[in-house]
Amino acid sequence: MERRFEQIIFASRWLLAPFYLGLVVSLVLLLAKFTQEIFHIVPHVLEMQEKDVLLAVLTLIDLSLAGNLLLMVIFSGYENFVSKIDVADHKDRPDWMGKVDFGGLKLKLIASIVAISGIHLLKSFMNIDNTSKENLMWMVIVHMTFVVSGVLLALMDRLEGSHHGAHGKAAAAAKSDHH
């Protein structure tokens, strides 16, 4: 009975698969928005001011970073929690695939959020005439919150890794002393 119960619990990981499929749909939505932005920018690029072109390009970079973030979450989340993606022999398989654990995914996630937040902040600074000081202040506060959160997450991950490393070395030393 216990074995069957554990098999059911193990099989329940497949309940996450539709979440990752939904994220693939989200990636398609981002592509649609990216394409819309390109078609909006291209016909007017020669009449746009340099600042407006830079703001438009930053918007495209922002959408691209969000897409990269989604792809990392889809691949890493699926591989960490559902099943391995069997494309090991594919020539275009990213090197990081299968190597990003949950801790690494958290750090990549917060780094992407910081980058996206930084781009929004840069866009606001470039368009400072149309941004209120109060909004700008809150954007800086939110961005710094993301930065501090990222640093703290990285620090906790490092401390946890060094704790496991020290614990593992101590256990190995104790084991070799017994022999």
Side-chain angles (χ1 to χ4, degrees):
M1 185 163 126
E2 179 182 351
R3 183 170 163 80
R4 183 69 186 140
F5 182 71
E6 289 170 354
Q7 287 174 337
I8 290 169
I9 289 174
F10 184 67
S12 71
R13 74 192 190 282
W14 285 100
L15 293 173
L16 287 172
F19 288 89
Y20 295 110
L21 192 57
L23 291 177
V24 171
V25 171
S26 298
L27 194 56
V28 171
L29 297 176
L30 273 178
L31 175 61
K33 192 63 180 170
F34 186 92
T35 304
Q36 179 188 28
E37 289 293 323
I38 288 279
F39 283 124
H40 176 74
I41 296 165
V42 170
H44 305 288
V45 74
L46 296 178
E47 56 202 51
M48 293 171 73
Q49 292 182 2
E50 183 180 333
K51 177 181 85 166
D52 294 329
V53 172
L54 287 173
L55 287 171
V57 168
L58 287 173
T59 298
L60 295 175
I61 291 170
D62 192 25
L63 289 168
S64 174
L65 285 173
N68 292 340
L69 173 63
L70 266 173
L71 198 63
M72 272 192 299
V73 169
I74 292 166
F75 284 5
S76 299
Y78 186 86
E79 282 209 326
N80 280 310
F81 300 111
V82 180
S83 180
K84 298 293 178 207
I85 299 174
D86 189 20
V87 291
D89 58 341
H90 196 284
K91 64 181 174 110
D92 292 330
R93 184 179 192 270
D95 289 336
W96 57 266
M97 240 179 100
K99 297 176 184 165
V100 179
D101 62 0
F102 186 64
L105 182 59
K106 285 188 304 187
L107 293 177
K108 288 183 183 310
L109 178 67
I110 194 70
S112 295
I113 290 170
V114 167
I116 291 167
S117 172
I119 288 174
H120 279 280
L121 193 56
L122 179 59
K123 284 168 59 175
S124 294
F125 280 124
M126 290 182 68
N127 199 14
I128 202 150
D129 295 338
N130 299 326
T131 308
S132 73
K133 288 183 180 180
E134 185 178 348
N135 280 350
L136 201 55
M137 177 194 69
W138 280 111
M139 289 180 77
V140 169
I141 289 170
V142 168
H143 179 72
M144 291 310 298
T145 301
F146 288 144
V147 169
V148 169
S149 296
V151 169
L152 290 175
L153 265 174
L155 182 63
M156 288 187 313
D157 198 52
R158 185 175 203 154
L159 289 173
E160 182 181 313
S162 67
H163 171 71
H164 286 303
H167 184 271
K169 289 177 187 173
K175 188 175 182 180
S176 69
D177 287 345
H178 287 5
H179 288 19

